[in-house]
Amino acid sequence: MNGRLLSDRLKSVASFLPEGAVFADIGSDHAYLPVYVCRQDQQALAIAGELNEGPFQSAKRNVEEQGLSARIAVRKGNGLSILKANEVEQVVIAGMGGSLITDILENGKNKLSTVGRIITQPNLEARSIRVWLQENGYKLIGEDIIEEAGHIYEVLAADKSEVKAAMNEVELLCGPFLLKEKSMAFINKWESEIKKRENVVYQMRHASSPDKAKIDQFKEEIEIIKGVLA
């Protein structure tokens, strides 16, 4: 597999890994990311973790075909349970919902003692990851937003930090780095998110027993987003 076949989404994730990375890719699918990184960087080492049998076998095959079995370990298991203590310095979790990513991080906290950097690419609910990072001693050091094949993806990179990060509600929702840049992908995402939230509010108001707290939350988020895009 050459770099041309790697999605822009995963290339962005790879760009946040340091040279000589020793990382785990959780939910690695076909191990495309570890293979790409280890081919680009001769010092990099990786563990590809996959829960499902089909992608696990595909990842093993892909790694063997590329002659990278000595540098990429492919393991089957759930989340961070595939790791031994103090085994990696970076963790990548890409291509899942934000709440699932935070569950994986929360359930595997005991495996993070030597992990200096966490890189995530949530398909939705990036806010929940920013909250988790802030509450667990990690500080965002970079973000990216990519529009690819009709989907918009956010990439978040955070380093372990003694200084507790304190993001406000706007930064938690939209991303402090992405807010500064306000790229076209960012604007497209949030214009679409306003419509989604307005639609949800409309439907909830017409429900047999409207959830007022939920409606108020969505209305507040709509106002935040409109303020950001203004």
Side-chain angles (χ1 to χ4, degrees):
M1 185 198 74
N2 59 37
R4 285 197 305 278
L5 296 179
L6 196 73
S7 65
D8 290 342
R9 168 181 76 87
L10 288 179
K11 279 183 183 168
S12 175
V13 169
S15 74
F16 287 106
L17 283 166
E19 276 188 41
V22 181
F23 73 102
D25 181 28
I26 303 301
S28 191
D29 206 7
H30 303 282
Y32 290 147
L33 179 72
V35 165
Y36 173 78
V37 171
C38 289
R39 286 189 60 179
Q40 301 282 319
D41 178 356
Q42 297 306 309
Q43 305 307 310
L45 299 170
I47 296 165
E50 180 52 55
L51 179 60
N52 299 308
E53 181 66 20
F56 167 70
Q57 292 297 342
S58 176
K60 271 185 21 177
R61 200 161 50 245
N62 195 17
V63 168
E64 284 162 13
E65 283 170 2
Q66 296 298 327
L68 288 167
S69 299
R71 290 170 55 210
I72 302 173
V74 182
R75 296 179 189 166
K76 189 178 178 200
N78 195 8
L80 300 176
S81 69
I82 60 151
L83 299 177
K84 302 182 184 87
N86 311 332
E87 198 171 22
V88 294
E89 294 162 16
Q90 302 87 24
V91 162
V92 172
I93 313 177
M96 306 175 200
S99 56
L100 177 55
I101 292 174
T102 55
D103 284 348
I104 289 169
L105 290 169
E106 184 63 28
N107 294 334
K109 263 202 239 190
N110 61 326
K111 302 292 176 70
L112 295 174
S113 58
T114 56
V115 175
R117 180 167 295 180
I118 293 172
I119 304 162
T120 64
Q121 180 273 295
N123 292 341
L124 66 167
E125 296 172 26
R127 182 189 179 279
S128 60
I129 297 174
R130 292 189 186 101
V131 170
W132 188 92
L133 293 168
Q134 179 166 275
E135 289 175 353
N136 288 276
Y138 285 86
K139 187 176 182 183
L140 280 172
I141 53 107
E143 297 174 305
D144 195 9
I145 187 163
I146 293 129
E147 202 158 356
E148 184 173 56
H151 297 282
I152 297 176
Y153 303 102
E154 290 181 43
V155 179
L156 286 61
D159 282 357
K160 197 168 271 187
S161 173
E162 295 299 316
V163 183
K164 188 164 165 54
M167 287 179 272
N168 61 37
E169 192 49 50
V170 184
E171 290 170 327
L172 286 170
L173 185 63
C174 300
F177 291 91
L178 303 179
L179 275 165
K180 283 180 191 152
E181 199 178 309
K182 285 190 187 171
S183 67
M184 204 64 233
F186 177 89
I187 291 163
N188 290 344
K189 175 194 166 91
W190 289 110
E191 282 179 346
S192 163
E193 288 294 329
I194 287 176
K195 287 179 187 149
K196 278 186 201 165
R197 281 164 173 76
E198 286 175 339
N199 192 34
V200 169
V201 168
Y202 176 82
Q203 288 174 346
M204 288 172 91
R205 274 185 175 148
H206 291 78
S208 53
S209 52
D211 184 338
K212 188 175 183 311
K214 211 67 176 142
I215 289 171
D216 288 345
Q217 182 200 328
F218 278 119
K219 282 169 71 178
E220 187 185 332
E221 286 180 0
I222 289 165
E223 289 312 306
I224 287 172
I225 298 163
K226 283 182 174 173
V228 164
L229 296 179

